[in-house]
Amino acid sequence: MELCPLIKNILLLDSEGKRIAVKYYSDDWPTNSAKEAFEKAVFAKTQKTNARTDAEITMFDNYVVVYKFVQDLHFFVTGGENENEIILAAVLQGFFDAVGLLLRGTVDKKEALENLDLILLCLDEIVDGGIILETDANVIAGKVASHSMDAGASLSEQTITQALATAREHLTRSLLK
C-alpha cells in the first residue's frame, strides 16, 4: 500500500478532446498512442456530464478520474483506483484556480495556448514524479509568476544588449565610411 498519494496524470484538453497541456507521471501508458487513446476515451466518457460548477468523479479503467470544465477547457486529474478522491479533487482545484489566476480570469483555449509556458510551469509546481507538492492556487501562481519574471528579465536584458551591440555596429560602420 502506498503511503503517499500518487497522481497518474494531469490533463488539460480542449472542447474537442485535443491536448492543450498534459503531464504523465506513470508508466501505465507506455506509448504516446496509448496516452492519446486514454485521453480520447476519458473525454468521450465525460463530455456529456455537466462538471462546470463543481468537480465530478468517475471510475474509468481502474483509475479514479476527477474532472472539471470551464469555457472550452476540460481539466482532468487521474489517480489509481485506491487513491483518495478528496486529495485528487484538491489537486484539480489547485490546478484549476492557479490557471485562473495566471490567465487573469480569462480561462479559455486561446488564452491557454498563448500562455502555455505558464500552464506547464504550473503543472511542474503542483506535482513532481507523481508526488503532490502543492495544492494552494495562490502559492502555485506566485511561484510560476516569479519563474516567468526571472526568465523575462534576463530575456529583456539580452534584447537590450543585442540592440546596443547592433547600434554600436551601425555607428562603427557609418564612421568608417
Side-chain angles (χ1 to χ4, degrees):
M1 176 156 184
E2 296 289 327
L3 298 175
C4 181
L6 293 176
I7 303 297
K8 299 286 187 180
N9 63 44
I10 299 178
L11 311 173
L12 178 58
L13 306 177
D14 67 8
S15 59
E16 298 169 357
K18 294 190 173 47
R19 288 181 175 184
I20 302 289
V22 298
K23 198 88 166 198
Y24 284 83
Y25 306 102
S26 161
D27 294 331
D28 293 2
W29 304 274
T31 64
N32 198 38
S33 58
K35 292 173 184 175
E36 289 175 348
F38 176 79
E39 293 161 19
K40 187 175 182 180
V42 166
F43 178 79
K45 180 173 174 89
T46 60
Q47 73 176 358
K48 300 271 190 249
T49 62
N50 185 19
R52 299 223 176 257
T53 54
D54 293 322
E56 297 284 334
I57 301 168
T58 188
M59 283 293 291
F60 181 76
D61 284 349
N62 294 327
Y63 297 104
V64 176
V65 180
V66 182
Y67 58 97
K68 188 171 186 173
F69 308 150
V70 64
Q71 303 280 37
D72 52 356
L73 294 178
H74 296 218
F75 294 76
F76 299 89
V77 174
T78 307
E81 64 182 331
N82 296 321
E83 289 301 337
N84 186 329
E85 297 88 0
I86 296 172
I87 292 174
L88 296 177
V91 171
L92 175 70
Q93 194 63 46
F95 179 44
F96 181 83
D97 291 344
V99 168
L101 288 170
L102 291 167
L103 300 182
R104 294 175 191 83
T106 311
V107 182
D108 60 14
K109 181 180 176 179
K110 181 179 178 280
E111 281 294 316
L113 289 172
E114 288 176 0
N115 295 287
L116 189 58
D117 57 335
L118 297 178
I119 292 173
L120 293 173
L121 280 172
C122 191
L123 290 173
D124 291 340
E125 291 295 335
I126 297 170
V127 177
D128 185 26
I131 298 171
I132 302 165
L133 301 176
E134 185 62 64
T135 59
D136 184 349
N138 292 317
V139 173
I140 297 164
K143 288 181 179 179
V144 169
S146 69
H147 284 305
S148 65
M149 277 191 254
D150 292 345
S154 64
L155 182 63
S156 64
E157 287 171 10
Q158 182 182 9
T159 305
I160 292 170
T161 306
Q162 288 175 339
L164 289 174
T166 305
R168 190 178 312 122
E169 187 178 294
H170 285 292
L171 180 64
T172 307
R173 279 190 200 153
S174 65
L175 291 175
L176 293 175
K177 283 185 180 180

